[in-house]
Amino acid sequence: MTEKRRTLLIVEDDPALQKQMRWAFDQFETVVANNREEAIAQLRRHEPALVTMDLGLPPAPDDVTEGFRLLGEILALAPDTKVVVLTGQHDRENAVRAVGMGAYDFFAKPFEPELLTLTLDRALRMYDLQQDNRRLKIQQGSALSGVITRDAGMLKVCRLIERVASANVTVMLLGESGTGKEVLARGLHELSPRRNERFVAINCAAIPENLLESELFGYEKGAFTGAVKQTLGKIEVANKGTLFLDEIGDLPMPLQAKLLRFLQERVIERIGGREEIPVDVRIVCATHQDVKGLIQAGRFREDLYYRLAEIVVDIPALRDRDGDAVLLAHAFVQRFAAHHGRGSLSLTDDAVQAIETHRWPGNIRELENAIKRSVIMADGNCITAEDVGVGLEGETEALEALNLRVVREEAERRAVVRVMARVNGNVARAAEVLGISRPTLYDLMNRFGLKKEIST
């Protein structure tokens, strides 16, 4: 069964150029329109992902009024549709105006079909990304709806959170700053039997050491100067619910001993009090630090670690989540554009490339802040790499890595090397394991420059 071709709407009143474009873009299912009314009818009927359009349309082909009117209607009816505007050789002003309105790109006539095809392919990839993002948000309508991902590693983390949510075990979330540890902690709470009780969060690194004990355990009236009334601590406030201890690696050693006692006995004593108060609370903690390294350095109690780490969840950094940076960027653009009343905003190709190649040391938090700033600062309806504020570091390598043929050949080469090593160079056995014929294996070995005696 052949894959269904994607639809391209060509808005052009010149029959000869119509025919040329249909022939040049035969990889698409092309539909044509001669004027604005026909174009809108075809748009409603076929819902194309891509549109190419001339600005000079009947009844006044020498004027751009009808073309801009059509462009506005297309963007209003189908804001995700990618429109490539065709202009005259010296009509850059109108081309820039079209892009400012929300067109994906522009090309001057006469155009080279190969170059326009590349632009259409890029536009289609961006359209598909936006559709994937929308589908993901619809599918996710769960407690983990705040997690937007297509990465296998992150999806595995989500499944683990879902599995352990109903078990009354302590969970330790490990990951760099900005990877979404609190989002996952809240998801864990919402998926648990405690969902109708309180979720209480405290950042152990954000509160001075001399105040942290009273924040956690509370105090009685008169316990110290300024204690004018009895005050419950976060642990007690979270009774029957979930307590999230963020940056647990920064918890001072004296409080580590007191927290360990609570985890063992499940009772607390307020500062200045003598009464043991039973508390039923689930503990979820998180840190960006290497806890085992802290243990070796004598800065974290090993017995507390094993109490807190009944289940350990390692959250991958954004740079290790294939495709998620761009996926999240599109979601943030939509969210902040709606919040700031910016209408339909989209990322340009150079912005997408910059987002893909940037390492994002601050992870999702850094990306979110960059997109929020770019939505506010962007001119027109397009967000550029300059607006995002990150460079195209490693662009050459990144673009090469996206070449499917290169990726496929490298995967085949690694598979052949590994199998030949495991079967000690036995070509017949290697071909059997790889599921190919011996002549095919010999061809692959010749192509990759591998010798029969390979042993690594």
Side-chain angles (χ1 to χ4, degrees), residues 186 188-199 237-242:
R186 289 183 180 276
L188 192 68
H189 173 73
E190 291 299 325
L191 291 166
S192 76
R194 300 173 182 267
R195 68 180 66 90
N196 294 323
E197 304 296 337
R198 295 191 65 172
F199 175 89
V237 169
N239 188 36
K240 304 296 183 183
T242 301

Side-chain angles (χ1 to χ4, degrees), residues 10 33 40 49 91 115 138 150 158 198 211 220 225 341 356 421 431:
I10 299 170
I40 294 301
D91 197 12
L115 294 179
I138 292 172
R150 286 185 305 189
C158 292
R198 295 191 65 172
L211 298 179
E220 298 289 353
T225 303
E356 284 180 327

Side-chain angles (χ1 to χ4, degrees), residues 145-398:
S145 59
V147 181
I148 299 175
T149 185
R150 286 185 305 189
D151 175 69
M154 195 62 194
L155 289 171
K156 185 177 179 181
V157 167
C158 292
R159 300 295 82 79
L160 177 57
I161 292 292
E162 289 172 346
R163 283 200 303 272
V164 304
S166 59
N168 193 27
V169 294
T170 58
V171 177
M172 179 173 282
L173 304 172
L174 301 179
E176 296 179 8
S177 295
T179 49
K181 295 187 287 292
E182 184 166 348
V183 171
L184 290 174
R186 289 183 180 276
L188 192 68
H189 173 73
E190 291 299 325
L191 291 166
S192 76
R194 300 173 182 267
R195 68 180 66 90
N196 294 323
E197 304 296 337
R198 295 191 65 172
F199 175 89
V200 179
I202 183 170
N203 188 320
C204 300
I207 300 173
E209 183 176 343
N210 60 333
L211 298 179
L212 188 54
E213 182 179 6
S214 60
E215 281 290 316
L216 282 171
F217 296 94
Y219 53 86
E220 298 289 353
K221 180 180 178 180
F224 49 81
T225 303
V228 296
K229 65 177 181 178
Q230 183 189 78
T231 302
L232 305 186
K234 298 291 187 183
I235 295 176
E236 201 172 346
V237 169
N239 188 36
K240 304 296 183 183
T242 301
L243 175 66
F244 176 51
L245 299 173
D246 199 6
E247 300 302 346
I248 191 70
D250 290 290
L251 193 67
M253 289 296 285
L255 283 184
Q256 290 182 30
K258 195 164 183 178
L259 179 61
L260 177 62
R261 179 178 180 273
F262 165 69
L263 291 172
Q264 291 170 334
E265 307 296 334
R266 294 291 169 170
V267 295
I268 64 165
E269 290 182 14
R270 302 188 193 109
I271 298 174
R274 298 182 180 274
E275 178 187 2
E276 289 190 339
I277 304 166
V279 180
D280 172 22
V281 65
R282 182 184 195 167
I283 301 293
V284 179
C285 62
T287 182
H288 70 281
Q289 300 188 63
D290 175 11
V291 183
K292 292 187 177 179
L294 294 177
I295 292 172
Q296 291 178 352
R299 294 168 52 199
F300 201 87
R301 295 181 61 118
E302 188 172 16
D303 48 3
L304 176 60
Y305 170 76
Y306 288 116
R307 280 285 182 179
L308 291 171
E310 291 178 323
I311 299 291
V312 176
V313 181
D314 288 296
I315 306 169
L318 182 56
R319 60 182 168 276
D320 298 325
R321 292 166 52 175
D322 289 341
D324 274 6
V326 175
L327 192 66
L328 284 160
H330 284 299
F332 291 148
V333 167
Q334 291 179 11
R335 180 203 301 176
F336 293 128
H339 179 75
H340 293 283
R342 290 299 308 269
S344 178
L345 275 174
S346 62
L347 297 164
T348 61
D349 283 347
D350 67 327
V352 170
Q353 288 183 16
I355 289 167
E356 284 180 327
T357 59
H358 187 58
R359 296 288 291 169
W360 298 111
N363 292 290
I364 299 170
R365 186 180 296 116
E366 181 190 358
L367 173 63
E368 184 175 13
N369 289 340
I371 297 300
K372 184 176 183 179
R373 180 180 63 248
S374 64
V375 166
I376 295 171
M377 301 302 295
D379 293 324
N381 291 333
C382 294
I383 295 173
T384 66
E386 185 178 357
D387 295 324
V388 177
V390 294
L392 294 174
E393 54 215 49
E395 178 182 350
T396 303
E397 293 81 359

Side-chain angles (χ1 to χ4, degrees), residues 39-100:
I40 294 301
Q42 296 282 42
L43 184 76
R44 293 181 183 277
R45 179 181 178 187
H46 296 282
E47 298 182 347
L50 302 172
V51 175
T52 65
M53 60 168 286
D54 192 352
L55 286 177
L57 295 174
D62 294 330
D63 187 67
V64 295
T65 303
E66 193 75 353
F68 277 115
R69 182 180 175 190
L70 172 60
L71 176 59
E73 290 177 350
I74 291 174
L75 295 174
L77 289 170
D80 287 344
T81 296
K82 302 305 172 192
V83 182
V84 178
V85 171
L86 304 180
T87 68
Q89 282 284 358
H90 306 292
D91 197 12
R92 184 176 180 82
E93 182 180 347
N94 283 321
V96 172
R97 177 185 167 193
V99 171

